[in-house]
Amino acid sequence: TDVVLTVPAWFGEIERTAVLDAALLAGMNPLATVNANTAAAIKYTLDSRGDTEKIRNETFLILDVGSTGTTASVGRVERGKTAKDKVKLVMMAHAWDKEVGGAALDNLIADRLAQLFDEKRGLQPDDTKAADIPAVMSRLRKEAQRVREVLSANTEAFCSVEALYSDMDFSGQITRKEFEAM
């Protein structure tokens, strides 16, 4: 089976070769590896071919915020005057950050929720901080993911975790403005 494989933009020669070797071991015939954002750009270009009368040339951004990393790519499509004319796709730049993704954002929110919980429970100097209790942070990270998803479409999110620590419930609120400042 002939295949073209997509890989993250930050994959180097060694990682790409490993992906190709794995495909061979799986009985596939790998033709090439392509950056994932480039593959998305090709799909976008093919899907928008009928719009040549409206848009002839355009520059676009593809942004992929994954769980553990973020990639951004800038491309340009140049179309002829009719749908039968050749279409040229140029990928102008790729950039990435392997540290910033949804999980990192969830951790920021979870840390803030831990601070709010410590404030609500009246943390004393000798008490263990919520951020240092793995079971508490695990539950707060789960709630943080939900809060982040709510904040993507709303200006504020309410959070609530029952019996978070020592049968103490936690409830709080984070605004999008507060999240953006983190």
Side-chain angles (χ1 to χ4, degrees), residues 4-6 32-49 60 62 73 75-77 79 87-91 94:
V4 175
L5 304 163
T6 63
T33 58
V34 177
N35 289 345
N37 283 8
T38 300
I42 292 168
K43 175 72 170 134
Y44 171 75
T45 301
L46 292 173
D47 285 351
S48 62
R49 285 189 76 153
F60 58 87
I62 295 176
S73 300
R76 179 158 179 79
V77 178
R79 298 177 179 88
V87 176
K88 182 179 178 182
L89 170 64
V90 178
M91 294 307 294
H94 297 284

Side-chain angles (χ1 to χ4, degrees), residues 113 139-140 143 159-165 168-171:
L113 295 178
R139 295 184 67 201
L140 288 178
E143 182 66 3
C159 46
S160 177
V161 181
E162 291 184 17
L164 179 59
Y165 182 69
M168 184 179 291
D169 296 338
F170 169 69
S171 62

